[in-house]
Amino acid sequence: MDLSFTLKRLFAFTFLVSTVFCVVPPSLIDRGIAMDRDSLIEGYFHLGINYTEILAFLVLCHGICLSMRQLKRILRERGLTRRSRLSPVNEIVDAIESELQGSGRLLGYRLMHKRIGLSHSLVVDRETVRAVMKALDPEGVERRLQHRLVRRNYHAKKPNFIWHIDGYDKLKPFGFCIHGAIDGYSRRIMWLEVDHSNNNPCTIAKYLLNCVRRVGGTATVVRGDCGTENCYVAAFQRFFREGQGDTFAGDISFMYRRSVSNQRIEAWWSMLRKMETDFWINYFKDLREVGLYCDDDILHVQCLKFCYMPLLKEELYRVVELWNLHRIRPQSSNEHSPPGRPEVLYFLPELNGKVRHIHNVTLDDIELAEHVCDGQTGMDDSFQVFEELASIIMEDEGLNPPRNPDEALQLYIDLLGYIEDIM
C-alpha cells in the first residue's frame, strides 16, 4: 500500500482523536515561533525531527494536513536539507572542543551531535562527531564504553498516566537544589528546576502548577517520596482529581512511596549526572580545595549562588531540550518501554497505538491553588539582601552577568573583593 495513502488515513483518524482529547501543542509554540505553516515546518526541521514526525505534529497539534511530497517541496524551497551543505570541519571541531570544556565532556557522540546542532546551529553527521570526539577526548570515549547497570522492567500504560517527581541533592551542599518530574510512559521531562530550596512545599507545588498550566491538565497519578516537601503537591493533585470517577481519582491520585522504588526519576538522575551535574560537582569541589569557596562562610555561599544560579538554570533547560528530543533506542529486555523521542512519544502516542489522555484542570482551580502559595518562595532573607547589594555593585562597577563558568568565577572573585573592601 502506498505510504502517503497510509499516512493520510492515519492522520485523518488521529486528528479526530486529538480533537476529542485536546492535544496540547509542543514546546515549539511556547517559544513564540510564528504560527504560519512554513515557519512551523522549519522550526520542527531544526529540532531534528524526521519528516513523518513533522507531518504528524502538523496534523495533530496544528490541524495542518500535508502529504510527504508537499512537505519535501516546502523544505526544498526553503533550502532545508539534512545531508548537503555540511558545516566546515574546523567549526565543528571548535564547537565540540568548547563543549568538552564544560559539562559536554559527559556526553556520548549521539547526544553531542544533537547538542551542537541545537546550540551551535551546525549541520553535521554523527560519524564526523564520533571521529572528532575520539580524537579530542579518547579517555572520555573509553570511560563511556564501560557496562551499565541492568535495571528492572518498568511499565506505564500511556502518556500522563503517571508522573514521577523527586529532588536531586548532589549540588545541595553548594546551595543549588534541583527538582524534576518525568512522565512514566514517554520519559519526557515535565520540569527540571534549580532554586534555593527543594524542601519548601510551596516551591515544589509551583513547579506542578506551572506544568499543569503548560500542558493543560494533570496526570492520572503523581508519585513522590514521603518528604514533607510534597504535602502541597499531594493536596493539589487530589483536589484536581477529586470526584472524577476513575479508579485513581481522589486520594489515590497521589502515591507516597520510598525514593528507592520511584524508579523512573531515580534512574534519570544518573543520566543527569552523566550529562550535566558531574561537571559542576567537581567544579565546585575544586573551588573549595583551592580556597576560593568555604561552606561555613555565608558570604561565599550567597555569592556562589548569585553568580552561578542563572548559568545552572540555563544549562538545565538545555538538558531538558536535549533529552526530550533525543531518540531512545529499542530495549530488547523491556518491550513495555517504547523507543522514540520523548517529545514525540508524549505528544503523538497514536503513532505507537496509544491514546494521549490528560485530566483537564480548570483555570479557576489552578488560580485557587496558586493563591495558597502566593508570597512564599524558597529564597531566604539573607540572599535577598545579598542580591540587592551585588546588583548595586555590578551597576556601579560596570560588571556584566556571566555567560560561562569562567566569567562566573571572575564575577565571584570580583564581588567578594568589593564586598570585603566595603566591610
Side-chain angles (χ1 to χ4, degrees):
M1 184 180 292
D2 180 58
L3 177 60
S4 62
F5 177 73
T6 305
L7 285 173
K8 287 179 180 178
R9 291 183 62 188
L10 171 63
F11 294 163
F13 170 75
T14 51
F15 179 70
L16 293 176
V17 174
S18 66
T19 304
V20 174
F21 290 103
C22 301
V23 173
V24 180
S27 55
L28 184 64
I29 294 179
D30 295 338
R31 299 176 198 162
I33 294 179
M35 291 296 293
D36 63 281
R37 182 195 64 183
D38 290 1
S39 295
L40 284 170
I41 291 173
E42 183 171 351
Y44 284 125
F45 178 87
H46 287 306
L47 290 178
I49 295 177
N50 66 36
Y51 295 166
T52 302
E53 293 167 348
I54 291 175
L55 290 174
F57 267 123
L58 289 175
V59 71
L60 288 172
C61 297
H62 308 284
I64 301 173
C65 188
L66 299 177
S67 67
M68 184 68 73
R69 190 172 183 178
Q70 286 176 293
L71 175 64
K72 290 181 178 180
R73 177 180 57 79
I74 293 170
L75 292 172
R76 187 167 56 251
E77 290 174 352
R78 296 177 77 90
L80 300 174
T81 58
R82 301 236 190 247
R83 300 184 183 278
S84 62
R85 292 187 292 182
L86 296 178
S87 300
V89 175
N90 61 319
E91 293 183 12
I92 297 170
V93 172
D94 291 342
I96 295 176
E97 194 169 24
S98 68
E99 292 292 342
L100 291 175
Q101 300 302 314
S103 58
R105 70 181 65 175
L106 306 177
L107 304 180
Y109 75 93
R110 293 180 180 86
L111 285 175
M112 181 65 77
H113 171 258
K114 179 67 69 174
R115 174 175 280 194
I116 64 174
L118 290 172
S119 301
H120 298 269
S121 301
L122 297 177
V123 180
V124 57
D125 59 274
R126 288 199 302 189
E127 180 59 27
T128 300
V129 175
R130 188 193 66 79
V132 172
M133 289 188 67
K134 188 172 183 179
L136 295 179
D137 187 26
E139 293 181 0
V141 172
E142 183 63 30
R143 186 171 60 252
R144 285 186 293 273
L145 287 175
Q146 296 176 1
H147 296 293
R148 298 178 178 179
L149 293 174
V150 178
R151 301 186 182 274
R152 68 179 179 86
N153 289 341
Y154 172 95
H155 176 56
K157 296 180 180 179
K158 55 190 174 182
N160 298 317
F161 177 74
I162 182 169
W163 293 349
H164 299 264
I165 68 172
D166 193 26
Y168 182 79
D169 295 339
K170 298 301 183 184
L171 290 175
K172 201 169 185 176
F174 307 101
F176 304 99
C177 304
I178 296 174
H179 196 274
I182 188 171
D183 176 65
Y185 172 80
S186 64
R187 287 88 86 199
R188 181 182 190 266
I189 301 302
M190 306 306 296
W191 71 76
L192 185 66
E193 302 286 351
V194 60
D195 212 322
H196 304 274
S197 172
N198 57 11
N199 292 328
N200 186 312
C202 279
T203 300
I204 309 306
K206 286 178 180 179
Y207 298 154
L208 173 71
L209 297 178
N210 290 338
C211 181
V212 170
R213 271 186 179 273
R214 192 166 58 248
V215 302
T218 188
T220 302
V221 177
V222 175
R223 181 171 180 170
D225 60 34
C226 299
T228 56
E229 70 274 9
N230 291 328
C231 62
Y232 278 13
V233 170
F236 292 156
Q237 170 68 6
R238 290 164 177 170
F239 168 64
F240 293 151
R241 296 275 287 109
E242 186 66 35
Q244 294 197 354
D246 59 276
T247 307
F248 293 96
D251 291 346
I252 311 177
S253 64
F254 186 90
M255 291 185 178
Y256 281 107
R257 295 291 186 274
R258 297 170 58 205
S259 291
V260 292
S261 62
N262 201 5
Q263 183 185 358
R264 266 291 189 251
I265 189 68
E266 293 291 347
W268 195 79
W269 289 142
S270 66
M271 297 298 300
L272 178 65
R273 178 151 188 171
K274 293 174 184 176
M275 295 169 61
E276 183 70 23
T277 58
D278 197 47
F279 166 78
W280 290 107
I281 292 171
N282 293 326
Y283 182 91
F284 293 135
K285 285 182 177 180
D286 289 342
L287 291 184
R288 179 195 287 156
E289 290 177 1
V290 299
L292 290 176
Y293 174 74
C294 177
D295 300 90
D296 298 326
D297 191 325
I298 186 63
L299 191 61
H300 284 201
V301 173
Q302 304 295 17
C303 191
L304 193 77
K305 290 195 291 185
F306 179 83
C307 295
Y308 286 93
M309 187 74 76
L311 283 182
L312 272 170
K313 286 184 177 181
E314 182 62 31
E315 291 233 344
L316 290 181
Y317 294 152
R318 291 174 60 190
V319 167
V320 171
E321 182 179 52
L322 183 63
W323 174 266
N324 286 345
L325 288 170
H326 95 293
R327 188 179 296 279
I328 299 174
R329 289 176 290 179
Q331 301 178 33
S332 57
S333 60
N334 188 0
E335 61 182 12
H336 299 298
S337 293
R341 305 176 197 271
E343 195 84 347
V344 176
L345 292 170
Y346 181 80
F347 285 105
L348 306 176
E350 294 87 353
L351 298 180
N352 289 311
K354 303 289 184 180
V355 176
R356 181 176 181 266
H357 178 67
I358 193 166
H359 295 276
N360 295 324
V361 179
T362 66
L363 184 60
D364 290 340
D365 286 346
I366 296 175
E367 291 177 348
L368 180 60
E370 288 174 338
H371 180 70
V372 176
C373 297
D374 282 348
Q376 300 189 48
T377 67
M379 187 186 305
D380 56 45
D381 295 337
S382 61
F383 182 80
Q384 291 181 343
V385 173
F386 181 89
E387 188 176 37
E388 293 174 2
L389 175 62
S391 299
I392 293 173
I393 293 175
M394 289 180 65
E395 184 176 353
D396 292 344
E397 302 296 334
L399 302 177
N400 296 318
R403 295 168 296 179
N404 55 56
D406 292 337
E407 292 182 5
L409 178 59
Q410 187 60 52
L411 178 63
Y412 172 79
I413 295 172
D414 291 342
L415 284 176
L416 287 179
Y418 287 125
I419 293 173
E420 288 175 359
D421 291 341
I422 294 174
M423 299 173 63

